[in-house]
Amino acid sequence: MSQAVYLDYAATTPVDPAVVDVMVRHLGPEGTFANPASRSHLYGWLAEEAVESARRQVADLLQADPREIVWTSGATEANNLAIKGVIEARGGGHVITSATEHKAVLDACGWLEKQGHPVTYLTPAADGRIDPQSVAEALREDTVLVSVMHANNETGVINDIAAIGALCREKGVLFHTDAAQSVGKLDLNVQALQVDLLSVCAHKIYGPKGIGALYVRRSPDVKVAAQIHGGGHERGMRSGTLATHQIVGMGEAVALAARLRDEEGPRIAGLRDRLWQGISQLDGVSINGEGAPRLPGHLNVAFAGVDGEMLLTAMNQAAVSSGSACTSASLEPSYVLKAMGVPDALAHGSIRFSVGRFTSQADIDRVIENVTEVIQRLRKVAG
Ligand SMILES: *Cc1c(COP(=O)(O)O)cnc(C)c1O
């Protein structure tokens, strides 16, 4: 009972023991440790085979061709490569994105603006979703890229990527989506979704941190200018020695997620709903993103009349996030909740709970008890 219950799976997950096992077999002197680019010995060939097998695992999940998968250090790098890479390859152009994107997309777009490229930031509806119609209305003659995330990291709200993809295809505009939160949880068929570029990473689905991939469509061919130059790895799009152990870890994590999804999704959603059932017994609580389709593990709750930082400190039985982990160092309320029109006071009193593979019913019940006790105490003090 000493350690707090980990309910921050949206920030990162522990690595699944089955994934650890595969990774360890690609590290030591007895393992497949070699440089996959080494062409002159069996060590290198075996490492290359391991990397290509993992590439197939990721491609299979996306219904893509393995040649469309570019390894990166994570979703941050994949987003940077997609956004800066397309604009550089096209020699400029207008970009449409949304105000609720991850900082990796927003800051890459901000950098483009500094270079003189125009960017439009769409405002979400009150439930957090980006209306495909608002994308259609923002399209200009010079628009070359639309980047709208699949599922939001703070709220779990899911955008209608297929609808946005269809209208981009119709207008001949490239479409990128950040799928770091939805990979392994939602269907990511790139043909059905009509996406041209898609970012994923391993560490939100029980794989290691420091590895991800960008899907880059080959037909019709999408051109992306490299952002990291060197030995010309990954068909010239991303140089650097491939991290064999990280890559096989991602392949295994993706395959495992696909195998478990039908059983795991409903189980996690059930635990998340049980958590809300318990918390909703309190007065003045609401779900941020209510009414929109959401990922199974996310629960972003606004506690009226309570300060989120105080709540986080007092809630010693649950390891959770206020807003997003990436901005929690600042005292600014979450820009995602702000963009959704959540008043500052409520945004300040909002907490993201995220349930995952290793969460039990007993964990949930312990957290409900802790939240209830703490909220009642804080509200009594506040008078
Ligand atoms: C976690 C996350 C990222 C960043 O991924 P890294 O692999 O940590 O760089 C980007 N976008 C979203 C939506 C995320 O949840």
Side-chain angles (χ1 to χ4, degrees):
M1 276 307 227
S2 60
Q3 280 227 41
V5 175
Y6 186 78
L7 286 187
D8 207 8
Y9 283 84
T12 196
T13 61
V15 178
D16 192 285
V19 173
V20 172
D21 200 52
V22 172
M23 291 180 70
V24 166
R25 285 191 268 120
H26 291 78
L27 282 168
E30 303 300 322
T32 311
F33 66 87
N35 189 331
S38 293
R39 293 284 153 79
S40 52
H41 46 68
L42 181 63
Y43 294 95
W45 304 334
L46 289 175
E48 187 191 23
E49 204 173 282
V51 162
E52 294 315 312
S53 159
R55 199 190 297 278
R56 242 176 343 262
Q57 287 172 310
V58 173
D60 284 351
L61 186 82
L62 309 180
Q63 315 263 307
D65 185 295
R67 291 170 299 177
E68 297 176 310
I69 305 300
V70 177
W71 298 116
T72 65
S73 61
T76 296
E77 189 193 330
N79 288 338
N80 272 269
L81 176 57
I83 293 166
K84 296 179 191 167
V86 160
I87 295 304
E88 187 185 330
R90 287 294 185 91
H94 172 235
V95 179
I96 298 171
T97 188
S98 87
T100 56
E101 297 296 311
H102 190 272
K103 284 289 183 188
V105 166
L106 292 179
D107 289 357
C109 287
W111 184 87
L112 284 179
E113 283 187 290
K114 275 209 210 111
Q115 312 302 309
H117 306 295
V119 179
T120 299
Y121 299 89
L122 302 173
T123 304
D127 68 7
R129 271 184 291 184
I130 298 300
D131 183 356
Q133 188 55 34
S134 72
V135 178
E137 285 162 11
L139 286 169
R140 315 193 321 199
E141 279 295 309
D142 61 341
T143 305
V144 301
L145 178 70
V146 171
S147 179
V148 174
M149 73 200 316
H150 194 187
N152 184 267
N153 43 301
E154 293 191 28
T155 59
V157 166
I158 300 164
N159 281 315
D160 190 349
I161 291 309
I164 299 172
L167 81 91
C168 288
R169 184 64 55 85
E170 189 193 316
K171 300 288 182 190
V173 170
L174 292 176
F175 180 40
H176 165 252
T177 191
D178 177 352
Q181 287 289 336
S182 57
V183 60
K185 295 166 197 159
L186 303 180
D187 193 21
L188 277 188
N189 179 338
V190 292
Q191 314 312 339
L193 296 176
Q194 303 199 51
V195 302
D196 301 302
L197 300 132
L198 179 142
S199 303
V200 287
C201 65
H203 76 93
K204 312 274 172 69
I205 47 161
Y206 316 94
K209 291 172 248 312
I211 184 71
L214 179 67
Y215 158 79
V216 183
R217 183 177 289 282
R218 278 172 68 92
S219 173
D221 193 25
V222 175
K223 290 269 184 293
V224 170
Q227 301 301 303
I228 294 183
H229 305 97
H233 306 75
E234 300 296 277
R235 295 176 313 289
M237 279 183 269
R238 202 280 192 176
S239 289
T241 301
L242 293 177
T244 314
H245 63 297
Q246 301 288 82
I247 288 170
V248 297
M250 179 160 181
E252 181 67 19
V254 157
L256 197 56
R259 257 197 326 274
L260 297 179
R261 195 172 84 194
D262 289 347
E263 178 274 322
E264 187 168 71
R267 189 184 70 81
I268 288 174
L271 289 172
R272 187 267 316 267
D273 294 345
R274 184 183 179 90
L275 178 60
W276 173 240
Q277 207 51 46
I279 291 175
S280 64
Q281 303 303 310
L282 293 160
D283 290 330
V285 291
S286 54
I287 297 178
N288 292 313
E290 173 92 84
R294 286 176 296 129
L295 289 175
H298 277 66
L299 182 66
N300 193 312
V301 180
F303 296 91
V306 174
D307 179 73
E309 289 304 313
M310 273 172 80
L311 181 52
L312 277 182
T313 313
M315 223 165 46
N316 57 1
Q317 300 295 304
V320 295
S321 277
S322 70
S324 95
C326 310
T327 50
S328 58
S330 76
L331 287 173
E332 278 290 295
S334 146
Y335 66 86
V336 171
L337 299 182
K338 231 180 145 94
M340 289 163 66
V342 176
D344 277 7
L346 266 189
H348 270 302
S350 291
I351 298 280
R352 178 187 70 188
F353 301 87
S354 45
V355 176
R357 184 171 293 168
F358 304 108
T359 310
S360 70
Q361 189 166 305
D363 289 338
I364 295 295
D365 292 345
R366 201 172 127 209
V367 171
I368 292 170
E369 198 177 310
N370 191 216
V371 173
T372 305
E373 184 270 317
V374 166
I375 291 289
Q376 286 171 345
R377 183 154 47 84
L378 288 180
R379 283 194 176 146
K380 200 174 283 169
V381 172

